[in-house]
């Protein structure tokens, strides 16, 4: 049956996230559905049999006219789209609800018969895991409602709701023994509850332990009803960081986790005490301790019913726990250290499923041929020789790889990674010229207008008069110019087209688009990329990124993408000497600046950017720092100022004066991150360097060292313990040790996690519940090997032993996979 074909499901999966969006945000906000459906249907045809081919026709027809229709018709059209989709593949319940007909309109029986059950109904009602939570002892309707608000409806939901961390409560400490600055668990009785009116309202709960030591627990933000949680003389266990009390008196804890004991349930060995305790994400209205009790029941009574879908031989080969065992240990660790084997099994599952999806898609990509460019070695040679300088070895290697891809009928899907300044533009230009040579157009899409303009300027400069027409298309062009550009694009006279996402808009049409180049791809949504690609017929795709994406991350993000790396800088750059200074030794850093200024050079002093809501504070801080430097440290030196509150014009003027040398020092908030080129500036001092991400420091540092002279980067840390402590120092040490953007990005990733590194939402990273990409590289590698082997040996996952994993892929993972795709 068509619906069980994973390849077809994957091909149609890009429809799921817009439909899910419509189910949440309403049909009125859904845009460009018709072209998307058309494109997705076109790409799905390769996987369709006779019946499903007709169903695909109906799907495409259902979306016709959607975008221009008024809302009621849109609703009807969308319902039809959803029904046709559901006839082809299983769709999640939240989406299938969109397909419901309005009351009074009856479904034609034939259609109904075709409809697949939604995945939530997939399990028979006798499945124990489908038991509603009210079926658990201790869960009544009121509590079930609170759980439901968190998306927890069935026992299965609860089993898959994982702790976010653990706390070792095997041995509570006495107040006297709890070290300042460390997390501790302390047991005692509540002896005082009071609200104090200081500068801020606060709640103080005094806990006294058996040795009569007292600890003050303090809350600043709380509702009045919160007080009821602390009956006087109740037994309590609190956990949090122990700090020194005010005026050096005693010990306090701010906003600790609290466990109350009471008459019926004094402390004893249970799910909340005397063991390694799971800390779950908060569920509003349910105390952690109560929640833990429910979770424990679910685990004890139901975990053995969890089916293990991973093929048995993989599980053995990789020595993974069974799924029930792993889940039990993840909730309530007993045999293993928390976060070891059980976590490994769950992380493996997640990564395996994504890799399996990628493996299936990679197999699918080869079905429909794209363009085979000639890209002859002679043309390549000529194009290269017309550049103003010889290519670096890395550029040459990357270009050869690209040319090889372009010659194949299989569409190119390649990522070009290169640090800032490594020369990606020249590589892109050469690839574009190969496409142009065969009568195709090349499009280069950049995330901002400034970048698009810069690209257009660089390309024209690098072409040095070669007869290739470069056209710029951005949203802010005057209408007349935009019309002109549109004509040139349609006629094919514009051979290389540079632009913003305006390129992907509906109104933009190409004559014969053969190569799509996307700069800073992680800043575009899936849809934008797909729309641009759909303007050609399976064009070759080259993605460029200056945000160095570590290999491991690239593998997961773009599993089926080939990668070329520019790991070599064009000649003539001098490395930047970097050193970390404590606040107390900032004079030494200033000495470096004085020496450079005396030699006629200029310096940046960079202050950390503050929250949007604190813009005024930023201006104040920047102004104050400028004045302080002018009075205390660099009397007589002209000092300029740029900050985020200035208008673009004011900022430009300040930068220009600095460029002309009217200021010797420029104090700036991080606004200088983009596009500054002042070769005479040889020093950059960064205040509160510990507040920056390493990758951001790397970008900032790239603003010096642009001339031939030796340059310096001085990282000054803050004044408090955490700011200059060992952790901050160790992190910043990476900057001292290397100027290699990839190494820095790897370190950044390890320290901060991938979500923060790229901004999960932007990057389209699948959101894993368990796997941590930085930490789980080995698991990722193993999962990838197994997934690709499996698809190799059973390309459609039709063997009975693989049925379970196929089912899971279709039901649990499709939505996420559509996020992980590149285009
Ligand atoms: P990226 O886009 O990778 O940040 P660019 O393509 O903007 O880097 O190149 C950075 C600078 O290096 C540009 O001024 C460019 O002209 C120059 N450049 C690029 N390749 C070479 C090379 N092979 N030899 C000398 N200079 C080069
Ligand atoms: Mg560039």
């Amino acid at each position: 049956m068509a619906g069980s074909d994973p390849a077809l499901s994957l091909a149609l999966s890009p429809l799921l996230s817009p439909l899910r969006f419509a189910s949440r945000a309403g049909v009125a906000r859904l845009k460009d559905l018709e072209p998307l459906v058309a494109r997705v249907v076109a790409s799905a045809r390769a996987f369709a049999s006779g019946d499903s081919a007709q169903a695909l026709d109906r799907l495409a027809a259902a979306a016709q006219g959607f975008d221009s229709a008024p809302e009621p018709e849109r609703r009807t059209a969308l319902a039809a789209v959803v029904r046709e989709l559901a006839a082809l593949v299983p769709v999640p319940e939240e989406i299938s609800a969109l397909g419901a007909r309005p009351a009074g309109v009856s479904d034609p029986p034939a259609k109904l018969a075709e409809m697949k059950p939604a995945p939530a109904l997939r399990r028979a009602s006798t499945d124990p895991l489908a038991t509603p939570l009210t079926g658990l002892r201790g869960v009544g309707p009121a509590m079930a409602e609170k759980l439901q608000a968190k998306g927890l409806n069935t026992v299965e939901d609860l089993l898959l709701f994982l702790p976010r961390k653990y706390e070792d409560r095997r041995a509570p400490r006495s107040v006297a023994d709890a070290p300042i600055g460390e997390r501790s668990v302390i047991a005692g009785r509540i002896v005082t509850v009071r609200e104090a009116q200081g500068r801020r309202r606060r709640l103080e709960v005094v806990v006294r332990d058996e040795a009569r030591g007292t600890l003050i627990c303090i809350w600043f933000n709380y509702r009045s009803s919160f007080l009821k949680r602390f009956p006087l003389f109740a037994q309590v266990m609190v956990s949090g960081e122990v700090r020194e009390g005010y005026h050096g008196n005693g010990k306090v804890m701010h906003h600790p986790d609290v466990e109350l004991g009471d008459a019926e349930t004094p402390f004893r060995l249970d799910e909340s005490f005397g063991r390694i305790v799971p800390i779950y994400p908060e569920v509003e209205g349910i105390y952690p301790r109560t929640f833990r009790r429910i979770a424990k029941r679910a685990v004890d009574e139901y975990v053995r019913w969890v089916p293990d879908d991973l093929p048995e031989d993989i599980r053995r080969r990789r020595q993974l726990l069974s799924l029930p065992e792993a889940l039990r240990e993840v909730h309530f660790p007993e045999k293993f250290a928390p976060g070891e084997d059980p976590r490994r099994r769950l992380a493996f599952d997640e990564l395996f499923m994504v890799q399996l999806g990628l493996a299936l898609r990679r197999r699918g990509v080869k079905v429909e041929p794209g363009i085979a460019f000639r890209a002859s070695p002679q043309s390549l040679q000529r194009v290269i020789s017309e550049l103003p300088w010889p290519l670096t070895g890395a550029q040459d290697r990357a270009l050869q790889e690209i040319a090889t891809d372009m010659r194949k009928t299989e569409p190119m899907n390649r990522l070009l990674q290169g640090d800032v300044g490594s020369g990606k533009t020249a590589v892109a230009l050469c690839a574009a010229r190969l496409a142009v040579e065969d009568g195709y157009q090349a499009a280069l899409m950049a995330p901002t207008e400034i970048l698009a303009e810069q690209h257009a300027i660089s390309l024209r400069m690098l072409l040095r008069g070669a007869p290739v027409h470069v056209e710029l298309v951005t949203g802010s062009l005057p209408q007349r110019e935009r019309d002109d550009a549109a004509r040139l694009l349609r006629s094919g006279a514009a051979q290389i087209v540079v632009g913003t996402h305006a390129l992907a808009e509906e109104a933009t049409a190409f004559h014969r688009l053969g190569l799509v180049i996307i700069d800073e791809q992680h800043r575009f949504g899936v849809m934008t990329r797909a729309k641009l690609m759909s303007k050609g017929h399976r064009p070759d795709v080259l993605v460029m990124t200056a945000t160095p994406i570590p290999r491991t991350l690239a593998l997961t993000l773009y599993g089926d993408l080939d990668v070329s790396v520019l790991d070599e800088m064009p000649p003539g750059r001098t490395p930047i000497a970097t050193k970390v200074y404590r606040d107390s030794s900032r004079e030494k850093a200033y000495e470096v600046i004085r020496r450079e200024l005396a030699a006629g050079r200029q310096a940046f002093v960079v202050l950390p950017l503050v929250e949007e809501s604190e813009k005024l504070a930023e201006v104040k801080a920047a102004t104050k720092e400028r004045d302080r430097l002018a009075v205390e440290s660099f009397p007589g030196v002209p000092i300029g100022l740029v900050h985020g509150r200035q208008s673009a014009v004011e900022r430009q003027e300040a930068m220009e004066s600095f460029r002309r040398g009217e200021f010797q020092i420029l104090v700036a908030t991080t606004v200088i991150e983009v596009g500054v080129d002042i070769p005479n500036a040889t020093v950059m001092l960064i205040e509160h360097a510990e507040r920056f991400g390493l990758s951001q420091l790397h970008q900032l540092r790239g603003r010096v060292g642009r001339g031939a002279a030796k340059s310096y980067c001085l990282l000054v840390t803050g004044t408090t313990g955490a700011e200059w402590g060992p952790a901050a120092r160790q992190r910043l040490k990476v900057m001292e040790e290397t100027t290699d953007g990839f190494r820095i990005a790897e370190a950044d990733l390890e320290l901060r996690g991938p979500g923060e590194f790229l901004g999960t939402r932007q990057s389209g990273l699948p959101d894993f519940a368990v796997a941590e990409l930085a930490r789980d590289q080995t698991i990722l590698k193993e999962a990838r090997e197994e997934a690709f082997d499996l698809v190799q040996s059973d390309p459609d996952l039709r063997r009975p032993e693989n049925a379970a994993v196929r089912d899971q892929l279709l039901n649990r993972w499709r939505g996420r996979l559509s996020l992980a795709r590149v285009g």
Side-chain angles (χ1 to χ4, degrees), residues 280-428:
Y280 291 94
E282 195 181 344
V283 178
E284 204 174 324
I286 301 182
Y287 295 151
R289 190 169 179 205
T290 312
F291 186 86
R292 231 172 262 133
R293 197 174 309 149
I294 303 169
K296 184 77 164 48
R297 257 174 219 151
V299 169
D300 286 347
E301 291 165 30
Y302 290 92
V303 86
R304 67 202 150 100
W305 300 106
V306 173
D308 199 337
D309 292 341
L310 197 66
E312 183 61 27
D313 60 324
I314 296 182
R315 197 166 82 72
R316 279 222 204 87
R317 199 161 39 240
R318 300 298 178 176
Q319 299 179 347
L320 297 162
L321 297 182
S322 77
L323 193 52
E325 198 177 353
L327 277 174
R328 172 190 298 281
E329 282 287 323
V330 150
H331 284 281
F332 295 96
E334 256 159 28
K335 298 195 197 105
F336 303 91
E340 291 313 312
D341 289 22
R343 212 189 61 85
R344 178 164 160 264
R345 163 65 209 252
L346 300 182
F348 188 95
D349 271 23
E350 290 185 315
L351 297 170
F352 177 74
M353 284 299 163
V354 169
Q355 295 300 324
L356 193 58
L358 292 168
L360 284 167
R361 201 168 58 232
R362 163 164 271 201
R363 187 187 53 104
V365 161
K366 299 187 176 157
V367 175
E368 202 189 331
I371 307 158
F373 293 98
R374 279 178 303 168
S376 72
Q378 294 82 349
S379 331
L380 194 55
Q381 231 22 71
R382 188 169 39 72
V383 165
I384 293 173
S385 68
E386 284 176 22
L387 290 170
W389 14 249
L391 290 181
T392 64
Q395 283 172 318
D396 194 57
R397 269 193 306 279
L399 195 52
Q400 296 298 344
E401 287 164 354
I402 291 167
T404 308
D405 283 0
M406 288 179 73
R407 286 182 205 118
K408 295 182 186 157
T409 45
E410 198 179 303
M412 168 165 75
N413 202 13
R414 185 170 284 277
L415 179 69
L416 178 62
Q417 293 185 347
D419 212 344
V420 189
S422 60
K424 294 183 291 295
T425 317
V427 175

Side-chain angles (χ1 to χ4, degrees), residues 581-634:
Y581 297 85
R582 279 191 187 185
D583 180 69
S584 53
S585 48
R586 63 169 58 240
E587 260 314 305
K588 286 192 199 136
Y590 288 155
E591 270 312 309
V592 177
I593 297 184
R594 289 194 192 103
R595 206 178 60 219
E596 287 297 297
L597 296 188
R601 308 285 180 201
Q602 292 166 282
F604 291 109
V605 172
V606 179
L607 309 179
L609 194 61
V610 296
E611 295 284 311
E612 188 63 28
S613 58
E614 293 172 35
K615 274 279 161 74
L616 276 172
E618 170 191 336
V619 176
K620 242 173 95 183
T623 313
K624 207 170 129 200
E625 179 63 9
R626 195 251 323 257
D627 296 346
R628 192 187 68 77
L629 290 173
V631 175
E632 290 176 17
S633 304
F634 300 96

Side-chain angles (χ1 to χ4, degrees), residues 421 423-425 451 454-455 519 544 546:
K424 294 183 291 295
T425 317
L451 276 172
Q454 271 178 8
H455 274 311
D519 195 13
M544 305 198 292

Side-chain angles (χ1 to χ4, degrees), residues 765-778:
L765 258 179
D767 53 340
F768 296 107
V770 181
E772 290 167 41
L773 296 173
R775 192 160 128 191
D776 297 337
Q777 295 170 16
T778 317

